[in-house]
Amino acid sequence: MLCQDVHQFGQRLVRRRLLEPREGFERPKAGHLNTLDLVALGVGSTLGAGVYILAGEVAVYEAGPATVICFFAAGVSTLLSGLCYAELVAWVPRPGSAYLYSYVTVGELCAFIIGWNLILSFVMATACEARAWSYTFDSLIGNHISQALQEMFSLNVPYFLATYVDFFAFVLVLLLTGLLVLGVHESALVSKVFTSLNLLVLSFIILSGFIKGDLHNWKLTNQDYSLNTLNTSGYSDISSLGPLGSGGFVPFGFEGILHGAATCFYAFVGFDVIATTGGEVPNPHRSIPLGIVISLSICFLACFGVSAALTLMVPYYQIQLESPLPQAFLHVGWGPARYAVAVGALCALTSSLLCTMFPMPRLTYAMAEDGLLFRGLARIYTRTGTPILAIILAGSLTGVMTLLFELSDLVDLVSTAMLLAYSLVTFSVLVLRYQPDQNLSNNEATEDEIDISLLEASRVEPGPEARSSNILKSLWRPSNTIPTVKSGQIVYWCAFLLVLLLTILSLILAQWPSQVFSGDPVLTAVAVLLLLLITGVTVIIWRQPQSPTSVYFRVPALPVLPLVSIFVNVYLMVQMDTGTWVLFGIWMGIGFAIYFGYGIRHSLENSEPQPPASTLQT
Ligand SMILES: NC(=[NH2+])NCCC[C@H](N)C(=O)O
């Protein structure tokens, strides 16, 4: 009885959504797009505060000149996730977000976690972009806004809240919320103009780095540091400077690079817009992966080039956190150029802000309409055709975050949420490729599947010994050349086990890196054992038959590529500090309470049909 209940409960967590078209609040048709449009869209959504503000923060506190390596690591990890994302999109013949894709392919709980993390990242990223917009605009007009706000609304809670309440950024968020309520959509033309301007300015910054940069800034020593201290303040005061670390190219060691890479992941968030819009191009199998690879490469080159230019122009400990690039131009004596840089930054931040804020109500609406979030959130206000409650709630949450938190605290939270979401996307692809052919528009078992299960059921039950040798045999040499229910289940559990093993390995490597590599007998033995287990389980997955269904894009080198991607993502996640994990834990706690307290019972996939929420119009 208990077993049956547990089984039923488990079944609910992995039930999949049907892909019948649901009426309601969908993304507007993007018209006829080509690969270039996708690239412009991807770059416009991805380049923002990461390259203009975060590069400075990472250089000062985490990696110094090695920030370029951080961007490289974060870029590679995003590219791997991007390829998996492209395949997941290819499996589902409808535009949507990672939430929908995982719901129709893998199951409800996985989809809820992805959706809930995407909401967190949308809210936090919007707050980040708004804060960055405010910093940049403020630096353009001589820091008057921050000075006034600092005097009037200073928050004296160091390490936890921002130094002052940023009303300017708050008003920006309110303005955007208002536009969303009115049903204003993204404009491809505006985004293209802003992206072109942005790329022009970034090229100028990179070029300036080559011309005005000084290679000595990548080899700084204690002597330069004390000299700089005297130069900047006239007496020996290091409070105006960031930490020196050990100087040189990698002043904060390998650990600093890892922390920096985790933070830099934020700079590459946003490319998913290509995958979700890509269904509308004539040649999606070429355009989507190509669009993802090209736009991530452009973003990588931009981040790499800008961080190199920045650290070459200014000693890393002298970089100003709020507006690093304009200050760098002042530092090298090209003062007027800082206005051009600030305008480029404002263009980038605006297009990335729009791309972050606008999809948010669509996602909340989709989850509420599926019954996983409160159905009131899916109510459409007839006059404007928008889900007002969802927009106002998301807008208010974003507003509060913008007011109270510092950009750097928000960034790590976005990176954590996206790293988890992308890891689940990757997991979905890994599992999906080995499942029996599934008709996604109709969750009934296919004929093959029924044939196989009937065949299995009609077989005479073998004894326990024969059964275990059968199982062992099917792990190494599966009897079918196409996936069956059994081989699908083997992969599901193996992939689950692998995620667990990879997480333990990442935790060990993150907690005791020097002990593992210097040959501590216990830790090294554990790490080697884990590696052996991981290899063994990977081989089992590799031996299972893959689905012959032709989809327009397939990730190469399965199962290795998704596993490397999951490992890199988890390894970056475990680099986050305790504060980030506490905030993330609170968010996930609220999410699980909503899902297990409400969503699981109200999901439209429950047997009792419920009226679609969009008919409950206000
Ligand atoms: N879906 C999004 N556009 N999210 C926010 C993107 C943030 C962007 N990568 C930046 O560096 O500022």
Side-chain angles (χ1 to χ4, degrees):
M1 186 64 192
L2 182 72
C3 255
Q4 214 173 15
D5 283 349
V6 172
H7 181 73
Q8 258 177 10
F9 183 71
Q11 288 293 316
R12 287 170 130 195
L13 301 183
V14 293
R15 57 191 165 187
R16 292 187 282 120
R17 206 197 109 162
L18 301 172
L19 200 61
E20 90 284 11
R22 282 183 188 161
E23 290 283 301
F25 175 71
E26 295 284 334
R27 112 183 301 283
K29 275 263 168 278
H32 198 72
L33 296 175
N34 57 30
T35 311
L36 192 69
D37 293 318
L38 287 190
V39 172
L41 209 68
V43 173
S45 157
T46 309
L47 286 179
V51 63
Y52 281 98
I53 311 257
L54 209 59
E57 179 109 17
V58 173
V60 175
Y61 290 120
E62 293 178 314
T67 304
V68 289
I69 302 181
C70 299
F71 276 118
F72 178 76
V76 169
S77 125
T78 317
L79 188 65
L80 295 179
S81 304
L83 291 176
C84 294
Y85 202 115
E87 174 165 341
L88 192 62
V89 178
W91 279 93
V92 185
R94 218 180 89 183
S97 67
Y99 159 73
L100 172 76
Y101 302 142
S102 56
Y103 204 170
V104 291
T105 54
V106 176
E108 192 168 285
L109 183 64
C110 179
F112 180 84
I113 299 176
I114 291 185
W116 191 242
N117 274 287
L118 286 181
I119 294 181
L120 174 69
S121 87
F122 282 142
V123 168
M124 297 299 176
T126 307
C128 287
E129 302 299 303
R131 271 247 168 194
W133 212 99
S134 146
Y135 290 159
T136 311
F137 184 74
D138 191 36
S139 85
L140 197 62
I141 59 166
N143 297 326
H144 294 308
I145 302 179
S146 57
Q147 273 163 15
L149 288 174
Q150 197 120 35
E151 272 165 30
M152 284 188 283
F153 304 104
S154 135
L155 286 170
N156 290 320
V157 193
Y159 307 118
F160 187 61
L161 296 180
T163 42
Y164 62 91
V165 179
D166 194 342
F167 274 112
F168 185 71
F170 180 70
V171 170
L172 204 65
V173 171
L174 286 191
L175 216 72
L176 278 173
T177 311
L179 288 184
L180 277 176
V181 167
L182 293 177
V184 175
H185 289 306
E186 302 96 316
S187 150
L189 182 69
V190 172
S191 143
K192 258 192 200 163
V193 172
F194 280 178
T195 307
S196 314
L197 266 171
N198 174 19
L199 286 180
L200 216 66
V201 170
L202 288 175
S203 314
F204 169 70
I205 297 172
I206 297 171
L207 218 65
S208 312
F210 277 119
I211 300 169
K212 297 295 285 182
D214 178 358
L215 211 55
H216 180 70
N217 283 332
W218 279 11
K219 305 178 242 169
L220 295 166
T221 61
N222 228 329
Q223 213 178 358
D224 300 296
Y225 195 60
S226 23
L227 219 65
N228 263 312
T229 320
L230 287 173
N231 281 350
T232 44
S233 45
Y235 60 96
S236 196
D237 168 26
I238 56 159
S239 63
S240 59
L241 299 180
L244 170 75
S246 60
F249 185 71
V250 190
F252 306 108
F254 185 57
E255 214 176 305
I257 294 185
L258 284 176
H259 281 290
T263 306
C264 286
F265 188 81
Y266 176 83
F268 298 100
V269 171
F271 72 86
D272 43 319
V273 70
I274 296 178
T276 48
T277 326
E280 295 154 38
V281 294
N283 237 343
H285 59 286
R286 274 192 68 243
S287 301
I288 294 185
L290 213 63
I292 289 182
V293 173
I294 296 178
S295 60
L296 278 179
S297 308
I298 294 177
C299 295
F300 165 69
L301 285 180
C303 293
F304 190 89
V306 168
S307 53
L310 179 67
T311 47
L312 283 171
M313 290 204 278
V314 191
Y316 61 87
Y317 45 74
Q318 265 188 297
I319 293 173
Q320 201 201 52
L321 296 181
E322 264 101 42
S323 53
L325 290 165
Q327 179 247 351
F329 279 90
L330 264 181
H331 185 89
V332 295
W334 282 10
R338 73 178 194 277
Y339 296 109
V341 173
V343 170
L346 287 180
C347 288
L349 292 171
T350 308
S351 81
S352 157
L353 190 58
L354 296 179
C355 286
T356 316
M357 187 93 180
F358 279 31
M360 185 155 49
R362 274 198 287 273
L363 175 65
T364 325
Y365 171 85
M367 290 180 75
E369 213 208 13
D370 289 340
L372 300 189
L373 290 182
F374 306 112
R375 289 167 67 78
L377 292 174
R379 284 213 180 137
I380 301 279
Y381 182 57
T382 20
R383 251 211 245 144
T384 55
T386 48
I388 285 203
L389 198 63
I391 296 173
I392 292 184
L393 215 73
S396 320
L397 190 60
T398 311
V400 172
M401 294 295 152
T402 314
L403 273 182
L404 298 181
F405 287 97
E406 206 66 80
L407 185 118
S408 51
D409 302 325
L410 300 170
V411 161
D412 281 352
L413 211 50
V414 178
S415 292
T416 314
M418 288 315 284
L419 282 165
L420 180 62
Y422 288 152
S423 303
L424 287 176
V425 164
T426 308
F427 177 82
S428 306
V429 169
L430 180 61
V431 167
L432 191 61
R433 189 77 87 74
Y434 293 92
Q435 297 308 309
D437 203 6
Q438 26 190 331
N439 181 358
L440 299 175
S441 307
N442 170 359
N443 271 4
E444 286 158 20
T446 59
E447 278 175 24
D448 281 355
E449 217 172 295
I450 293 168
D451 283 352
I452 291 161
S453 33
L454 283 179
L455 216 73
E456 278 175 358
S458 63
R459 276 192 200 127
V460 185
E461 276 286 297
E465 264 174 45
R467 229 181 3 231
S468 59
S469 91
N470 261 350
I471 292 177
L472 281 181
K473 214 177 101 199
S474 56
L475 291 184
W476 176 248
R477 192 176 300 194
S479 46
N480 263 314
T481 50
I482 56 162
T484 59
V485 178
K486 192 160 126 202
S487 72
Q489 274 172 358
I490 290 177
V491 172
Y492 206 108
W493 287 109
C494 284
F496 197 71
L497 183 64
L498 274 175
V499 171
L500 214 69
L501 294 173
L502 289 171
T503 310
I504 299 175
L505 184 66
S506 307
L507 279 170
I508 291 179
L509 287 179
Q511 281 299 314
W512 302 284
S514 46
Q515 287 92 324
V516 175
F517 293 113
S518 65
D520 176 282
V522 178
L523 286 172
T524 314
V526 173
V528 169
L529 192 72
L530 281 170
L531 273 177
L532 285 176
L533 273 174
I534 288 168
T535 316
V537 183
T538 307
V539 170
I540 294 178
I541 295 187
W542 172 65
R543 297 292 302 164
Q544 304 306 312
Q546 289 191 24
S547 166
T549 310
S550 89
V551 285
Y552 61 68
F553 177 69
R554 286 178 155 231
V555 172
L558 220 78
V560 176
L561 189 141
L563 289 174
V564 172
S565 166
I566 293 178
F567 174 67
V568 177
N569 287 355
V570 175
Y571 194 42
L572 289 182
M573 274 171 85
V574 296
Q575 304 301 323
M576 299 300 178
D577 59 23
T578 323
T580 306
W581 279 109
V582 169
L583 287 178
F584 185 68
I586 294 176
W587 179 257
M588 288 312 291
I590 298 174
F592 284 131
I594 293 178
Y595 178 68
F596 289 109
Y598 178 91
I600 197 165
R601 283 183 288 120
H602 291 80
S603 162
L604 279 197
E605 301 313 312
N606 275 329
S607 38
E608 320 87 63
Q610 302 186 24
S614 43
T615 58
L616 307 168
Q617 300 197 336
T618 341

